[in-house]
Amino acid sequence: MLPEPTAMLPAAMPWLDLAGLAVFAVSGALVAAKHRQTMVTLVFFALITGVGGGTLRDLLIDAPVFWVHDARVPVVCLAAAVAVWATPERWWRGSALDWFDAVGLAAYAVYGAAKASGYGITPIPAAMLGVVSACVGGIIRDVIAGEPSILMRPELYVTAAALASTSYVILTALGVPLAGPIAALAGFLLRGAAIHYRIALPAYPARGLEERG
């Protein structure tokens, strides 16, 4: 029998998980609100966005699926949906969705890598599972809503998640105190810079098309 996940993680990590869950749930509810959906749909989007990446991570590392065994998760998702429903639309205009998503991205990437490491996954796969934890919920959200996928947007997204999860793995191996918050901050700052300054990696050049043209 594997020990409980909270016993294998640094004390602050479960709170980082809940923080990431909350902001991801808000981002999901905001997408539903933008499409003028019902309260039930807001709750659904909050839940699927909040738990999507973590569910896949837990299935891959053969861990109990976290939200099935933690009553706080649906409560947090419900609270996020209610908060979006009950607040004025002007609070969420502009880039609010992107910034909430950035916080969740960084927190979930770190927590995903930490949980994978706690279950005996080696460093490189653990860092990759951090990226899975951070990105899959948003991908599911966008697919269901018919929105352009986060993976297809030009500015850095997966790279920011990779920075957060990889930084956590490296800092932990080096014994750096507060590795989790430091790594999460690094991922958030990179994603924030990408949002604000439209930073993007070079796109694949269509050389063949240019030659034929």
Side-chain angles (χ1 to χ4, degrees):
M1 291 289 291
L2 288 167
E4 289 296 315
T6 52
M8 298 184 294
L9 297 171
M13 282 299 166
W15 296 106
L16 191 63
D17 178 39
L18 284 177
L21 174 71
V23 293
F24 262 157
V26 167
S27 77
L30 284 173
V31 169
K34 186 175 75 172
H35 288 274
R36 296 292 188 269
Q37 295 298 308
T38 66
M39 180 64 196
V40 173
T41 307
L42 263 70
V43 172
F44 174 80
F45 268 79
L47 181 64
I48 202 67
T49 308
V51 307
T55 298
L56 180 57
R57 173 203 64 219
D58 288 350
L59 291 173
L60 289 173
I61 66 176
D62 198 25
V65 177
F66 73 108
W67 61 272
V68 176
H69 303 279
D70 189 348
R72 295 175 301 174
V73 173
V75 171
V76 168
C77 293
L78 176 60
V82 170
V84 172
W85 180 270
T87 50
E89 182 183 5
R90 64 178 182 275
W91 289 16
W92 310 108
R93 288 175 182 166
S95 58
L97 173 60
D98 289 334
W99 286 103
F100 269 96
D101 196 71
V103 175
L105 180 82
Y108 249 33
V110 170
Y111 183 80
K115 187 171 184 179
S117 298
Y119 272 85
I121 307 299
T122 53
I124 293 178
M128 294 174 67
L129 283 164
V131 176
V132 167
S133 300
C135 296
V136 168
I139 293 170
I140 296 172
R141 175 198 67 207
D142 291 344
V143 168
I144 295 176
E147 296 277 335
S149 173
I150 52 175
L151 294 179
M152 304 302 290
R153 296 174 192 171
E155 70 269 10
L156 300 178
Y157 191 87
V158 175
T159 305
L163 174 63
S165 62
T166 303
S167 297
Y168 173 78
V169 170
I170 293 173
L171 292 174
T172 301
L174 295 175
V176 176
L178 300 176
I182 293 171
L185 179 62
F188 173 75
L189 290 176
L190 179 58
R191 177 60 184 148
I195 293 170
H196 186 73
Y197 297 107
R198 301 297 178 187
I199 300 172
L201 294 174
Y204 177 76
R207 299 186 185 90
L209 293 175
E210 291 173 0
E211 291 172 1
R212 288 196 296 271

